Amino acid sequence: MNTASPSNQSPTVADTFLKGIWKENPVFVMVLGMCPTLAVTNSATNAFTMGIATTFVLVGSSTLISLLRKFIPKQVRIATYIVIIATFVTMVDYAIQAVSLQLYLALGAFIQLIVVNCIILGRAEAFASKNSVFQSILDALGMGIGFTVALLCLGTVRELLGTGSLMGMRVFGDAFEPWGLMVLPPGGFFVLAGWLLLFSWWKRRSTTEAATAGVAMQRTGSHEI
Amino acid sequence: MSETNNNALQPKSASTWQMLVALGGISLISGVLIVLAYETTLPRILMNRQRAIEEAVFRVLPGSTSRATYAIEGNAVRLLQDATHTGPKIYAGYDDTGALMGIAIEAAGQGYQDVIRVLYGYAPATECSTGFTVIESKETPGLGDKIGLDPRFLANFQGLELRLDESQRSLKNAIVAVKQNSKSNPWEIDGISGATVSSKAVARIVNDSAQEILPIIRQHLRQIETQQ
Amino acid sequence: MSAQLEAMELRSSPHLPEKAGVETIMFNVVLALIPIVCFGIFLFGVSVIALVATTTICCVLAEYLVCRCANRASTIPDFSVVITGILLALTLPPGFPLWMAAVGSLVAVFVGKAMFGGLGYNVFNPALVGRAFLQAAFPSAITTWTPAMSADRFTAFIPSTLTLPFTRVQPMDEWLRTASIDGFSGATALALQKFDGISTNAGQLAMGFTAGSSGETSAVLILICGGYLAFRRMMDWRVPASMLLAAFLTSAVFYMIDSTQYPTPVFTLLAGGLMLGAVFMASDMVASPVTPLGVWIYGGLMGFLTVIIRLKGGLPEGVMYAILLGNAVSPIIDNLTQPRIYGAKSRRDTP
């Protein structure tokens, strides 16, 4: 896998934004943030809320860290990052309580646990601390959206199979037999495994195609995957 | 990602003073942000909390339009003014004329998966329950969660007998769950076949709570009726 | 490896005089299962035929797909996947919806077998993995039992069998009322004992004329078929023996503590899926330990767990979880019971 370092070759604006959604998707490619991915994706609404909350924390903390990146001494950077992240998590926590108590109860401790979500600290350390504010916001937005999309992928499948509805609305009618397992913890693992399988199959197919094309151009005889 | 890049941005080593300023400054910003968020959301959070309790209380006490919250302290009840009290609470519901419609009692106990928290309504006039709702449960979806969804099961609590015996210290007939479709007495709960454990747990939770709380409520009924 | 060894054909024990490869053993297991399937069909009717056919075909199809995707030679002819299919059907209620059975079959082969690397590598018994998934996904359908010996069992399906894919089972109170002829109720002996305190007599349980999963009811028949395999030395008799013995002893202890609440040890042995599980599933060659002492510990643990789950758990039946747990610890058991190497002073030592 090639993780093009942003400093070596200046990537385009679109690249910075899009890599979090597809090429470096935090869940499907980097397999980060598994705790919320498995725990709160039992319905699409929960997954979406979690995704949005994480995106907010990501963007907020990345912006602040990028702004202050020249001011934060290296020795205390992790401590300051955590303080900043925790601040935004607390704000999100209050915001969700204000929007819907039911949603807040459904998400439980996982809102507070965004603090320890490694995607956020990862982006702070790997990107925001050494890039401009604009770049950092783009990167955080991309990662956040990638994370949200991944959670929604799990959440929709689990809610559809587990309850026969989507975002709380019935989809399959009353005759549908819900697969109770899917909204329970094991269902999270099954569905995540399914998506990871699909993703690695896609990736492999595209690399194979690229390799085949490259080989065809070079007109060499044999190739192996 | 490259570590050297990071070093280039920073001076070789920062002084203690610099670190203190950085940490202090960021803590200050954080504090301001948190206070701002707290102050803006607080009224809505309180309103949401209030409404959630109210909805549940009015659901189990049909006909009531206002409520008063009482704390249970030992053998006495005390009218609460704010919702911050954390101990055991009961909610009295009154209709438009201020007459006591019933009392909603919160109860909790071990279910099949985890603790089930329920709220049930008690009408002192008829000594029956008036309604039941599950506040929190992690029972198996599709089986155990029927305790909060199955209308046939919820109908059990329309007129479930909660009569005290002569001593006024315990229930005359303990609440029990029986097999589905075999309810024959007003104090029995018609169970859910396939969710035997969960329906029995509900019966046990309601029974334990009624045995403990109802005698206290009966003692202080005048006080609750007059909203004191 | 030296040249000398390479010339030799290495085979794991038992070193039998006849050539008993994987195919032969597996084929004989299928043979041994046939009488049990037939008895299930006799007891519950055409629904069992449909159930066994569905699971077997789906398992074979899944195996075919796996082999194709992995570019491997087909492993269908070794019969192991057929056994998985038949065993899965035998552990399901006779009126289990066919579409759910198909889902279970796919899970059994994909998750229970292929994911670990196919035959010889599966940590758990694949059929039980499939059943465990079904138990968790469709808890209501898998605990809906239908009475044995209903009058029209050879002419009509149990209504729930033909439930349309992805739809729920329609209530069949009406059918149950007409189908139950005197003495045969829809509840299993274990459920009756656990929830209502009604004990079914041992003779009836031994013969198997009771409600239950398609192939678990007749203890005697399962013992005979298992006996055949043990006699042909195609199954380690120590696994079922130790499991049944442990279940009997554990149950006896409980029975002595409180004979009104707990069932008799004989009942424990005969009722439910213990017999089928002990003889045909716990003895799965791949998932059980290889050392003789390990096998006894393994069987004993599963027997003990079965009784504990039955008596102390929320469910009336515990064989499935007991065996899966046994499978999970079997590598550890193997590790702890390695025999002392000849010439070494202690087990951990090498000469």
Side-chain angles (χ1 to χ4, degrees), chain B:
Chain B
M1 309 288 163
S2 57
E3 192 58 31
T4 47
N5 200 20
N6 198 20
N7 286 339
L9 285 172
Q10 304 292 338
K12 274 283 173 264
S13 72
S15 69
T16 317
W17 175 243
Q18 242 177 322
M19 288 185 218
L20 277 176
V21 169
L23 273 177
I26 282 161
S27 304
L28 197 72
I29 299 173
S30 299
V32 170
L33 283 175
I34 289 177
V35 169
L36 267 177
Y38 181 75
E39 287 298 327
T40 12
T41 53
L42 188 65
R44 286 217 51 177
I45 292 175
L46 286 182
M47 199 184 73
N48 280 344
R49 290 243 166 94
Q50 194 92 347
R51 206 164 47 196
I53 296 170
E54 225 146 60
E55 258 171 32
V57 168
F58 293 161
R59 200 177 319 140
V60 297
L61 296 174
S64 46
T65 52
S66 64
R67 69 178 173 89
T69 311
Y70 290 88
I72 298 213
E73 287 161 346
N75 236 343
V77 297
R78 182 169 62 86
L79 185 63
L80 289 174
Q81 299 305 337
D82 54 352
T84 49
H85 183 78
T86 47
K89 277 179 287 193
I90 56 173
Y91 309 94
Y94 308 90
D95 69 1
D96 289 331
T97 63
L100 180 67
M101 294 304 292
I103 294 150
I105 302 160
E106 220 181 282
Q110 181 64 37
Y112 182 63
Q113 306 270 15
D114 200 349
V115 170
I116 306 177
R117 285 179 59 221
V118 304
L119 191 75
Y120 64 97
Y122 167 71
T126 53
E127 294 197 71
C128 280
S129 78
T130 53
F132 168 86
T133 186
V134 175
I135 300 175
E136 198 183 332
S137 97
K138 294 192 177 69
E139 299 305 281
T140 322
L143 276 179
D145 69 348
K146 283 186 187 161
I147 54 168
L149 302 169
D150 188 3
R152 202 192 49 76
F153 182 73
L154 294 177
N156 273 312
F157 296 90
Q158 306 293 341
L160 181 77
E161 187 185 280
L162 296 170
R163 201 176 291 278
L164 292 181
D165 64 3
E166 284 75 17
S167 71
Q168 296 286 304
R169 252 185 241 122
S170 61
L171 287 180
K172 195 168 164 203
N173 297 298
I175 312 296
V176 281
V178 294
K179 257 176 90 162
Q180 183 162 348
N181 295 328
S182 62
K183 173 171 171 146
S184 53
N185 292 305
W187 59 84
E188 284 170 352
I189 293 178
D190 204 0
I192 305 168
S193 70
T196 321
V197 179
S198 300
S199 41
K200 281 195 171 154
V202 167
R204 198 188 58 241
I205 292 166
V206 172
N207 181 57
D208 291 353
S209 147
Q211 300 274 20
E212 188 194 329
I213 309 253
L214 290 195
I216 304 172
I217 290 179
R218 302 265 353 153
Q219 268 181 37
H220 303 282
L221 203 54
R222 283 298 313 159
Q223 188 192 340
I224 297 172
E225 270 170 356
T226 52
Q227 296 199 36
Q228 281 170 351

Side-chain angles (χ1 to χ4, degrees), chain A residues 71-148:
Chain A
F71 170 66
I72 302 169
K74 190 169 165 266
Q75 292 91 329
V76 290
R77 66 183 196 287
I78 300 292
T80 44
Y81 296 167
I82 289 293
V83 170
I84 290 169
I85 294 167
T87 307
F88 285 100
V89 170
T90 314
M91 288 168 70
V92 159
D93 189 87
Y94 287 136
I96 292 179
Q97 281 188 64
V99 171
S100 161
L101 192 63
Q102 206 185 352
L103 207 55
Y104 181 72
L105 291 177
L107 293 173
F110 292 101
I111 290 294
Q112 286 96 311
L113 284 176
I114 296 178
V115 175
V116 289
N117 190 327
C118 32
I119 297 169
I120 296 164
L121 191 60
R123 286 339 280 172
E125 172 79 359
F127 200 95
S129 62
K130 51 187 83 149
N131 283 287
S132 71
V133 178
F134 177 65
Q135 292 265 334
S136 300
I137 292 178
L138 271 184
D139 172 75
L141 261 182
M143 284 290 163
I145 292 171
F147 186 63
T148 311

Side-chain angles (χ1 to χ4, degrees), chain C residues 235-250:
Chain C
M235 178 188 77
D236 192 345
W237 61 272
R238 280 170 291 211
V239 177
S242 54
M243 184 166 171
L244 295 174
L245 185 70
F248 185 89
L249 292 177
T250 317

Side-chain angles (χ1 to χ4, degrees), chain A:
Chain A
M1 208 182 76
N2 62 326
T3 46
S5 180
S7 50
N8 296 348
Q9 58 208 58
S10 56
T12 65
V13 171
D15 273 353
T16 313
F17 177 66
L18 287 176
K19 73 173 187 307
I21 300 174
W22 183 255
K23 218 172 80 198
E24 288 177 29
N25 186 295
V27 173
F28 292 143
V29 179
M30 299 201 284
V31 199
L32 289 176
M34 284 300 103
C35 177
T37 306
L38 292 166
V40 297
T41 52
N42 52 6
S43 81
T45 316
N46 289 357
F48 185 69
T49 316
M50 189 67 196
I52 293 299
T54 311
T55 307
F56 173 79
V57 176
L58 253 172
V59 173
S61 55
S62 283
T63 314
L64 203 55
I65 288 167
S66 178
L67 267 174
L68 301 171
R69 69 185 186 279
K70 296 197 173 124
F71 170 66
I72 302 169
K74 190 169 165 266
Q75 292 91 329
V76 290
R77 66 183 196 287
I78 300 292
T80 44
Y81 296 167
I82 289 293
V83 170
I84 290 169
I85 294 167
T87 307
F88 285 100
V89 170
T90 314
M91 288 168 70
V92 159
D93 189 87
Y94 287 136
I96 292 179
Q97 281 188 64
V99 171
S100 161
L101 192 63
Q102 206 185 352
L103 207 55
Y104 181 72
L105 291 177
L107 293 173
F110 292 101
I111 290 294
Q112 286 96 311
L113 284 176
I114 296 178
V115 175
V116 289
N117 190 327
C118 32
I119 297 169
I120 296 164
L121 191 60
R123 286 339 280 172
E125 172 79 359
F127 200 95
S129 62
K130 51 187 83 149
N131 283 287
S132 71
V133 178
F134 177 65
Q135 292 265 334
S136 300
I137 292 178
L138 271 184
D139 172 75
L141 261 182
M143 284 290 163
I145 292 171
F147 186 63
T148 311
V149 168
L151 290 197
L152 269 176
C153 283
L154 266 85
T156 42
V157 173
R158 287 180 71 186
E159 191 181 354
L160 271 179
L161 284 179
T163 62
S165 48
L166 197 59
M167 295 275 182
M169 280 175 296
R170 282 211 80 68
V171 174
F172 287 147
D174 289 332
F176 178 75
E177 165 81 27
W179 303 28
L181 178 76
M182 284 302 164
V183 289
L184 296 175
F189 285 95
F190 278 116
V191 177
L192 178 67
W195 280 107
L196 286 177
L197 190 74
L198 202 65
F199 243 77
S200 48
W201 178 71
W202 263 332
K203 271 189 94 79
R204 179 182 297 197
R205 211 183 57 161
S206 56
T207 46
T208 312
E209 268 166 16
T212 330
V215 165
M217 266 194 288
Q218 289 169 9
R219 292 187 173 275
T220 47
S222 66
H223 68 279
E224 265 180 46
I225 310 141

Side-chain angles (χ1 to χ4, degrees), chain C residues 41-317:
Chain C
I41 295 169
F42 167 70
L43 212 56
F44 300 107
V46 284
S47 284
V48 173
I49 303 182
L51 190 64
V52 174
T54 308
T55 53
T56 314
I57 291 170
C58 286
C59 282
V60 170
L61 270 180
E63 182 89 354
Y64 170 75
L65 270 178
V66 168
C67 291
R68 244 194 83 145
C69 289
N71 287 323
R72 259 186 275 161
S74 171
T75 47
I76 296 166
D78 70 17
F79 283 107
S80 66
V81 73
V82 176
I83 297 176
T84 301
I86 298 177
L87 278 180
L88 177 62
L90 293 182
T91 58
L92 295 173
F96 196 67
L98 296 181
W99 76 266
M100 296 182 191
V103 171
S105 314
L106 299 184
V107 172
V109 175
F110 288 141
V111 180
K113 195 174 171 190
M115 231 165 64
F116 292 99
L119 182 66
Y121 300 97
N122 49 307
V123 179
F124 300 103
N125 181 311
L128 285 180
V129 172
R131 195 189 191 278
F133 180 88
L134 292 174
Q135 172 94 51
F138 311 114
S140 148
I142 211 164
T143 46
T144 305
W145 309 98
T146 47
M149 306 294 280
S150 71
D152 60 351
R153 63 187 188 280
F154 294 121
T155 52
F157 286 106
I158 300 168
S160 55
T161 300
L162 298 177
T163 305
L164 286 172
F166 297 104
T167 62
R168 65 172 74 234
V169 178
Q170 296 304 316
M172 31 179 211
D173 299 345
E174 191 54 43
W175 182 84
L176 282 177
R177 210 167 298 126
T178 52
S180 344
I181 37 176
D182 42 10
F184 293 105
S185 89
T188 64
L190 281 174
L192 284 174
Q193 199 281 326
K194 182 162 184 130
F195 298 126
D196 303 313
I198 303 168
S199 199
T200 314
N201 83 51
Q204 207 180 340
L205 284 173
M207 294 315 294
F209 291 93
T210 57
S213 296
S214 312
E216 69 174 20
T217 56
S218 177
V220 169
L221 191 63
I222 293 167
L223 274 185
I224 293 172
C225 295
Y228 162 77
L229 284 181
F231 177 73
R232 296 283 311 267
R233 304 184 63 183
M234 290 175 172
M235 178 188 77
D236 192 345
W237 61 272
R238 280 170 291 211
V239 177
S242 54
M243 184 166 171
L244 295 174
L245 185 70
F248 185 89
L249 292 177
T250 317
S251 177
V253 171
F254 277 104
Y255 185 67
M256 277 189 284
I257 294 170
D258 184 358
S259 64
T260 54
Q261 193 193 345
Y262 298 118
T264 65
V266 175
F267 177 90
T268 302
L269 284 192
L270 299 177
L274 180 60
M275 245 351 139
L276 184 72
V279 173
F280 285 103
M281 283 179 264
S283 60
D284 185 306
M285 289 181 178
V286 186
S288 32
V290 288
T291 59
L293 176 64
V295 168
W296 283 102
I297 298 174
Y298 168 74
L301 179 74
M302 289 187 295
F304 171 75
L305 283 175
T306 304
V307 176
I308 294 293
I309 297 173
R310 275 188 187 179
L311 300 182
K312 291 291 170 193
L315 296 164
E317 180 60 294

